[in-house]
Every structure is written in structure tokens, then in C-alpha cells.
Amino acid sequence: ATEMTTSEITQYFNSKNIEIKIISKWERIIKKLDNVKYAFKTPTQSELDQDLIELIKLIKLLNIK
């Protein structure tokens, strides 16, 4: 698998002319996940559930493009 940082993936989305609305959603979700990974911030179960729903919506939007 290709390893990219959050900023590299965001730049890639920009280069593919992905809508800014979608990129903003991506950044919001991934920044929270980065906090979990690097700052050891533990989200609540409801936060995890909401992030999962948002990621599914995001993937569906990306599949349409």
C-alpha cells in the first residue's frame, strides 16, 4: 500500500479537482483520527460511530466523482 501523509492525500485530492466540500470533510475527519494516532486522544464511542458514518458518506461521494 502507498503510504501518504494527511497533507499529501489532501494535495492529491486537490490535484484531482475534488470538490472543496469533500476535501474539507476529509480533513475534518482525518485530523480527528490523527489526534487519536499521534496524541493518544481516545474518542468516545459516539464520536467513533459518527466518524464512521461520515467516512462512509465521503467514500460514496468519491465513488460518484
Side-chain angles (χ1 to χ4, degrees), residues 2-64:
T2 302
E3 292 187 26
M4 298 171 76
T5 65
T6 299
S7 61
E8 289 170 333
I9 295 170
T10 301
Q11 288 174 1
Y12 174 78
F13 285 163
N14 279 314
S15 74
K16 295 297 180 184
N17 296 319
I18 302 293
E19 291 178 41
I20 192 70
K21 175 179 87 174
I22 295 172
I23 294 173
S24 293
K25 285 183 181 191
W26 154 259
E27 287 179 318
R28 186 173 53 251
I29 294 167
I30 293 304
K31 283 180 182 180
K32 287 186 352 185
L33 293 174
D34 282 348
N35 279 335
V36 171
K37 184 175 181 181
Y38 298 113
F40 305 106
K41 179 186 175 281
T42 305
T44 65
Q45 186 61 49
S46 73
E47 289 175 313
L48 289 172
D49 293 343
Q50 187 60 40
D51 289 344
L52 178 61
I53 291 167
E54 290 299 316
L55 280 171
I56 291 169
K57 289 178 186 177
L58 182 62
I59 291 166
K60 287 179 180 178
L61 282 172
L62 289 170
N63 283 328
I64 293 172

